[in-house]
């Protein structure tokens, strides 16, 4: 029996499709034609995978047979699986992937629960299903308890962060330089306050958040150098920082280590500590504002410590002295649309509160990448902080002339130029004995030449407010079985931990940016 020409063509086409599909599945190379390369690994991920020492096991748990499983989760599971396979291919044998379908009442389900994975509930039928990842290296284990399609644009970062973190056996060191009592009163201060019958200052919850991931190393403003071995540095409301310490901060940043810098034109903590009589005489309260002008100027960042942002659209409602309620535009209650949705620290924030914050901007001519993370609305203007000492909320609103959005927080990256082109700043004259000791030191002990430019890409996070770090503006405290507990009423704490955690990762992790989503719904045109 002979095949007709049409039947033969169909048969050959079918065989061709089978062969093409087989070859496509066999060849390790992939072509990513998406606009944002969502199916390709970033250079930072490839570099991170190339540094893996001991083998790492990836156990992906997905209950694909669960009744009523949303189609979005089925599609996302395929997306996660394919991404993990790319990780395995790029690791050159250091990663192994196991895809597990945990059935109810089985050892696999028990292992998933024991590892800390969180069961989710299907929309139809209410059946529980697992969709999480366990990453293991030796006796170290880290997890993503539950994947969600809403975080797809950060899938590569989340997976890379997990692979990186499972290889870290010791907590990273975070240097903390601040004039604010974020860690609470020191033992010496507590003893003195008890003698004076004063209440010691408690630590802020933001410090507890940071201690979950970091070993905090205190840096005094009078120090002339930074402690050795720091992985990241947080400088919050700096006061009277010695020139040599500013030089050390500059070199730390240029050396490739990330820096978190929080400044403030009007610190509420120091306003409360100030002498009312001084304010009555027109004298500004001490330590209310903070700035590091030498560093910011060199880095191409504009910041005015005498100006406060007022936002008529995002004003916070406050109680007035007469018992009424008024909108206070210099207390910013920001919403989801004020956060950059494409950056990791802010992508999933819904609300935040900033109190008499300043603003930052990129100076003309700067070659650095300036990425706004948090912005006020277009109904924003600036007002001199000195004008706020005795002004009522309604009076403040009348003084604000909208001039466009203001940047409250930004991420600055690139190759920074040093703020100290002449090297180490001169300090106090040394005593004769100290000078003789320095002369007797071998040349090998002398400090190396200072950096004039970043070795590679440097990362600086700047936020023009510090009050958002205090419990008063972020949590609601209550007593729970004799212990003080707190419930966040906005995302201030999440913003702090997201940012420091992001900056505290490896340079490879910081370089990974959020991507688009594989979901491409049709837009209604008419």
């Amino acid at each position: 029996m002979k095949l007709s020409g049409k039947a033969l063509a169909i048969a050959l086409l079918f065989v061709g499709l089978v062969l093409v599909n087989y070859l496509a599945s066999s060849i390790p190379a992939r072509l990513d034609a998406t606009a944002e390369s969502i199916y390709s690994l970033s250079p930072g991920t490839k570099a991170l995978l190339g540094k893996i020492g001991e083998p790492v096991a990836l156990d992906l748990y997905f209950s694909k047979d669960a009744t009523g499983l949303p189609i979005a989760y089925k599609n996302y599971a395929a997306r996660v699986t394919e991404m993990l396979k790319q990780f395995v291919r790029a690791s050159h044998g250091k990663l192994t992937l196991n895809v597990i379908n945990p059935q109810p009442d089985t050892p696999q389900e028990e292992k998933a629960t024991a590892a800390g994975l969180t069961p989710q509930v299907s929309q139809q039928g209410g059946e529980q299903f697992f969709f999480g990842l366990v990453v293991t290296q030796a006796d170290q284990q880290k997890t993503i308890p539950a994947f969600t399609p809403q975080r797809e644009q950060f899938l590569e970062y989340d997976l890379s962060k997990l692979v990186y973190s499972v290889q870290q056996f010791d907590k990273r060191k975070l240097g903390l330089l601040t004039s604010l009592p974020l860690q609470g009163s020191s033992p010496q201060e507590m003893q003195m306050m008890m003698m004076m019958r004063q209440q010691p200052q408690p630590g802020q919850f933001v410090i507890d958040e940071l201690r979950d991931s970091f070993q905090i190393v205190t840096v005094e403003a009078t120090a002339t150098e930074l402690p050795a071995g720091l992985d990241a540095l947080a400088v919050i409301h700096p006061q009277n920082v010695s020139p040599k310490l500013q030089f050390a901060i500059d070199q730390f940043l240029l050396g490739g280590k990330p820096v978190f810098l929080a400044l403030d034109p009007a610190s509420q903590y120091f306003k409360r500590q100030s002498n009312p009589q001084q304010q009555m005489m027109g004298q500004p309260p001490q330590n209310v504002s903070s700035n590091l002008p030498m560093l910011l100027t060199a880095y191409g960042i504009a910041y005015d410590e005498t100006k406060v942002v007022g936002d008529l659209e995002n004003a916070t409602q406050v109680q007035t002295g007469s018992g009424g309620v008024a909108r206070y535009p210099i207390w910013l209650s920001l919403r989801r649309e004020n956060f950059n949705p494409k950056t990791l620290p802010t992508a999933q924030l819904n609300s935040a509160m900033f109190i008499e914050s300043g603003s930052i901007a990129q100076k003309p001519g700067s070659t650095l990448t300036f990425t706004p993370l948090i912005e006020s609305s277009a109904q924003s203007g600036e007002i001199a902080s000195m004008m706020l000492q005795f002004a009522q909320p309604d009076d403040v609103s009348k003084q604000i002339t909208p001039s466009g959005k203001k940047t409250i927080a930004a991420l600055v990256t690139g190759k920074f130029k040093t703020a100290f082109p002449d090297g180490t700043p001169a300090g106090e004259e040394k005593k004769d004995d100290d000078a003789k000791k320095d002369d007797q030191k071998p040349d090998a002990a002398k400090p190396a030449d200072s950096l004039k430019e970043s070795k590679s890409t440097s990362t600086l996070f700047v936020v023009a407010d510090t009050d958002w770090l205090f419990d008063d503006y972020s949590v609601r405290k209550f007593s729970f079985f004799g212990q003080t507990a707190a419930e966040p009423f906005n995302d201030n704490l999440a913003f702090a931990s997201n940012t420091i955690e992001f900056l505290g990762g490896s340079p490879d992790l910081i370089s990974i940016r959020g991507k688009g989503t594989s979901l491409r719904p049709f837009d209604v045109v008419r």
Side-chain angles (χ1 to χ4, degrees), residues 178-197:
T178 181
S179 62
L180 299 171
L182 298 178
Q183 299 188 79
S185 303
S186 66
Q188 294 84 359
E189 291 172 336
M190 290 180 66
Q191 187 175 9
M192 184 176 297
M193 286 181 166
M194 291 176 67
M195 292 175 60
M196 299 175 64
R197 296 184 179 179

Side-chain angles (χ1 to χ4, degrees), residues 299-300 362-370 413-417 453:
Y299 304 155
Q362 186 172 29
K363 289 187 175 181
S366 173
T367 59
L368 299 172
T369 301
F370 185 93
T413 57
K415 286 202 168 187
F416 287 67
K417 301 287 186 182
E453 187 182 45

Side-chain angles (χ1 to χ4, degrees), residues 110-128:
E110 292 179 2
K111 285 184 66 175
T113 303
L117 300 191
T118 304
Q120 303 180 62
V121 180
S122 63
Q123 295 175 349
Q124 298 176 356
E127 184 176 342
Q128 287 189 344

Side-chain angles (χ1 to χ4, degrees), residues 228-248:
L230 295 182
D231 297 292
L233 177 66
V235 181
I236 301 172
H237 203 64
Q239 298 284 342
N240 305 316
V241 181
S242 69
K244 286 194 173 183
L245 184 55
Q246 292 190 49
F247 172 74

Side-chain angles (χ1 to χ4, degrees), residues 41-63:
L41 297 185
S42 304
T45 295
K46 294 177 180 177
L48 188 147
L49 295 175
K51 298 173 184 176
I52 296 176
E54 298 297 321
V56 176
L58 309 173
D59 294 328
L60 176 63
Y61 288 84
F62 179 59
S63 309

Side-chain angles (χ1 to χ4, degrees), residues 27-46:
I27 298 173
R30 295 290 187 273
L31 176 63
D32 186 354
T34 57
E36 297 181 88
S37 300
I38 63 174
Y39 296 106
S40 302
L41 297 185
S42 304
T45 295
K46 294 177 180 177

Side-chain angles (χ1 to χ4, degrees), residues 217-498:
V217 181
T218 302
V219 182
E220 299 295 338
T222 54
T224 56
E225 59 184 17
L226 292 172
L230 295 182
D231 297 292
L233 177 66
V235 181
I236 301 172
H237 203 64
Q239 298 284 342
N240 305 316
V241 181
S242 69
K244 286 194 173 183
L245 184 55
Q246 292 190 49
F247 172 74
I249 295 170
D250 174 87
Q251 295 296 292
F252 184 84
L253 176 65
L254 268 58
K257 298 294 183 67
V259 175
F260 171 90
L261 176 60
L263 304 171
D264 204 326
S267 164
Q268 297 301 297
Y269 172 77
F270 281 111
K271 273 192 171 184
R272 290 195 294 265
Q273 301 297 313
S274 61
N275 187 340
Q277 292 183 349
Q278 288 182 332
Q279 295 188 48
M280 292 293 291
M281 296 173 63
Q283 298 180 14
Q286 293 183 343
N287 301 328
V288 165
S289 65
S290 54
N291 196 359
L292 289 176
M294 192 169 185
L295 297 183
L296 294 184
T297 300
Y299 304 155
I301 300 172
Y303 163 73
D304 189 343
E305 62 185 289
T306 67
K307 298 288 182 63
V308 168
V309 173
D311 189 341
L312 297 177
E313 185 176 317
N314 292 306
T316 301
Q317 287 193 338
V318 297
Q319 287 189 336
T320 62
S322 59
V325 176
R327 289 167 56 81
Y328 203 30
I330 55 175
W331 284 29
L332 311 182
S333 291
L334 302 182
R335 297 164 292 178
R336 191 173 185 84
E337 53 265 31
N338 301 113
F339 306 119
N340 189 329
K342 295 185 178 181
T343 55
L344 287 154
T346 55
Q348 294 186 311
L349 301 183
N350 294 304
S351 64
M353 178 178 282
F354 292 90
I355 308 298
E356 297 184 21
S357 69
S359 67
I360 52 178
Q362 186 172 29
K363 289 187 175 181
S366 173
T367 59
L368 299 172
T369 301
F370 185 93
T371 306
L373 300 183
I374 300 177
E375 293 180 307
S376 63
S377 76
Q379 294 298 308
S380 299
E382 292 182 317
I383 183 174
S385 58
M386 287 293 296
M387 302 292 291
L388 305 173
Q389 290 189 42
F390 306 106
Q392 295 300 313
D394 292 335
D395 297 332
V396 174
S397 298
K398 296 174 183 177
Q399 297 180 49
I400 295 173
T401 302
S403 56
K405 294 181 179 180
K406 309 299 177 188
T407 300
I408 309 299
L411 189 65
V412 187
T413 57
K415 286 202 168 187
F416 287 67
K417 301 287 186 182
T418 181
F420 298 87
D422 297 328
T424 309
E428 297 180 358
E429 293 295 328
K430 295 182 178 180
K431 297 179 181 179
D432 292 340
D433 292 342
D434 293 335
K436 289 179 181 179
K437 289 180 182 179
D438 285 346
D439 292 338
Q440 295 172 2
K441 289 182 180 179
D443 292 341
K446 293 182 179 180
D449 293 336
S450 61
L451 298 171
K452 307 303 180 187
E453 187 182 45
S454 297
K455 287 182 177 180
S456 56
T457 299
S458 295
T459 304
L460 173 66
F461 179 94
V462 187
V463 56
D465 185 46
T466 60
D467 299 307
W468 62 281
L469 294 164
F470 280 85
D471 296 347
D472 292 347
Y473 311 108
S474 59
V475 298
R476 190 176 293 106
K477 295 182 180 180
F478 57 92
S479 180
F480 185 72
F481 290 103
Q483 299 293 323
T484 300
E487 177 188 12
F489 57 76
N490 56 34
D491 291 330
N492 285 16
L493 288 182
F495 177 49
S497 58
N498 287 356

Side-chain angles (χ1 to χ4, degrees), residues 96-117:
T96 56
L97 173 62
N98 305 304
V99 181
I100 303 166
N101 178 19
Q103 301 292 336
D105 302 320
T106 61
Q108 288 82 7
E109 185 185 60
E110 292 179 2
K111 285 184 66 175
T113 303
L117 300 191

